[in-house]
Structures are given as C-alpha cells and as structure tokens.
Amino acid sequence: MGKAFLIVDNLSKRYTDDGPPVFDKVSFGIDKGEFACIIGHSGCGKTTILNVLAGLEASSGGVVIMDQREVKGPSLDRGVVFQSHALMPWFSVLGNIVFAVRSRWPDWPRDKAEEHARRFIAMVGLKGAEHKKPSELSGGMKQRVGIARAFSIEPKMLLMDEPFGALDALTRGVVQDELLKICSATHQTVFMITHDVDEAILLADKIFLMSNGPRARIAEVVVNTMPKTRTRENMHHDPQFYRIRNHLVDFLVHRSRQIQEAGAGDAVARMIMPGLEEGIPAQTSGNFPQAA
Ligand SMILES: Nc1ncnc2c1ncn2[C@@H]1O[C@H](COP(=O)(O)OP(=O)(O)OP(=O)(O)O)[C@@H](O)[C@H]1O
C-alpha cells in the first residue's frame, strides 16, 4: 500500500449474518488533489462504500484511512453531495450555505460566514440567487447549491454520489464544467460515483471499476491518460477517448459479470492505461495513482 491521501484497505460489508458480503477485499488509494470516479452495476455496493468513507456506515471488515487517520464516524473533514441535494427548504441559498459554514467554524461572526458563503455561491454561478428558497430553484440550481455547500466547508475530501444523475443533459454539462473549474482552482480531492462513462472520462484522473456483487471488488483501476485540459467539447477528438471509453463499456458489458462468476480474484486491482499497450504515448496529468 502506498502513501495515498485516502487509503481503503481490504474493506468488506455484509448486511446479513448468513448471506455473502455485498463487497469484499476492496482496496484502493486516492492521492491528494486527485479526482477518482467509481463505476459499477447497480447494487454492487458503490453507495455503501461512499457511506463508509463518509463515516455514515460501519464496514464489516477492513479500514479507511484519510490523511493518516482512521475514519470512524462522520466529520466535517469530508463534504458529501447526494443525488437528492438535501437542502433545508426553510433556508435561502445563502442560509443553507451559511449554516454549513458556521457548523465548520462556529466562532466566525455572521458577516464573515456570509462573505465566505457568497464566494462559493459565485463560484457555482448562482450570484443573484442568494435569497431564493430551494423551492424557487431548478434541479440544476439546487445541485449547484449542494456543491457550493460541500466546497464551502473546505473539506479534505469531497464525496459525491451521482450528483448529476437527476439533471437533464444540458444542465448536467454546465454543472460538470463548473465542478471541473472549481476542482482545478481548489485542488480538491474527490471520490465520485457515476453511471456515466463519458462523465467519468471528463472528470476523473482515475476510474475504479467494480465487479458485480455479491462479493464485488475493485477489479481494475483505469488511469485517465488524456490531458488535464480536456473539455466536453474537445475530448471526443482525442483518439485516447475512444480507447478509454471502449475499455470502460467493455468492462460493464462483459468483464464485470465474468469476474464475479470466476469467484475470488486478486485482492489488488489491476492498473490499466487503455491504449498504451497499443503504442499510444501517455499524455498524463502527472497524477498517477499509488498502487492500490
Ligand atoms: N441498509 C441496508 N440494508 C440491507 N441491505 C442494503 C442496505 N443498503 C444497501 N443494501 C444492499 O446492498 C447492496 C449494495 O447497495 P448500494 O446502494 O451500495 O449499491 P450501489 O452500487 O450504490 O447501487 P446503485 O448504483 O443502484 O445506487 C444492494 O444489494 C442493496 O440492496
């Protein structure tokens, strides 16, 4: 195990005493400032893993270490964004974020907390909507508030569970762009669940591929060798895009089930750089993962 910022070692979870574990021997690492996505079929345990990382759920075995400390419960060191934005309906946009900011820094006077909150509201493009209530916002705007709130507490790690799953394609693209901008400005460390392979290729430095459950595990870690400057508009023009995309889709369609049927495999996930074996030069971000 390397010296990753987040270390997940041999994690397992079972919900019943007599049944098989949902996932088993799950090990991976995420470096500081790295954006990691996890992809796998419905029910393999992605949300459960995220909840364990958040400290909201106990594992049945294994450990999670973040910044050299074991994760044992919820903490404001980790910001969480859910698919259902979970805003407080009686607070305005500003109120929702100020509430989070004052939980993080209880000694801050209201003015300072508001100023801080406004910075993050502006970052997600919601300037002018500070005094709107969640019921007056579109789905995309609500999700932006959720993202601003998570960033505003300046967490050591951001955990996102399909944050764009409920958005239409156009809004999803706009909010993805905003997330990319904020992440590159703040060097935020991120763990995100998505079902969308294109979204993973756009956002992630590395992509964890999870086999089907029960006894699901991280079967492969795909390194995104496309340049960091990729955008939604230009990434389709890079031949690496299709190599990575085909690799991910092939995993979901074939290998995720084959690996599960084959039973226990290697506890250590294989690290893959699609296309490199075909002589495609690596255009790396310099953000190579630690061996998981
Ligand atoms: N609280 C719970 N009690 C019992 N079983 C649970 C509980 N939460 C999840 N499970 C089961 O654990 C398995 C993994 O669920 P989880 O939600 O983590 O999967 P997922 O990969 O995130 O799925 P999806 O992509 O559909 O969100 C499923 O079979 C689910 O039914």
Side-chain angles (χ1 to χ4, degrees), residues 110-171:
R110 174 134 199 127
D111 289 4
K112 185 171 176 184
E114 274 197 15
E115 192 188 318
H116 184 83
R118 282 179 195 278
R119 260 184 47 221
F120 288 89
I121 291 172
M123 248 186 225
V124 296
L126 283 182
K127 215 165 173 211
E130 290 87 346
H131 299 295
K132 290 202 157 96
K133 293 274 170 60
S135 59
E136 299 172 86
L137 304 176
S138 69
M141 291 165 90
K142 283 184 209 164
Q143 203 52 292
R144 283 180 196 162
V145 180
I147 291 169
R149 180 177 58 184
F151 273 94
S152 73
I153 61 166
E154 298 183 352
K156 289 183 177 172
M157 173 125 209
L158 189 62
L159 304 167
M160 299 200 282
D161 192 349
E162 281 192 76
F164 312 129
L167 304 182
D168 65 87
L170 272 180
T171 312

Side-chain angles (χ1 to χ4, degrees), residues 15 22 40-49 57 161-162 193 195:
Y15 282 106
V22 175
H41 281 287
S42 186
C44 67
K46 303 178 295 297
T47 296
T48 305
I49 291 180
E57 178 100 59
D161 192 349
E162 281 192 76
I193 298 173
H195 280 113

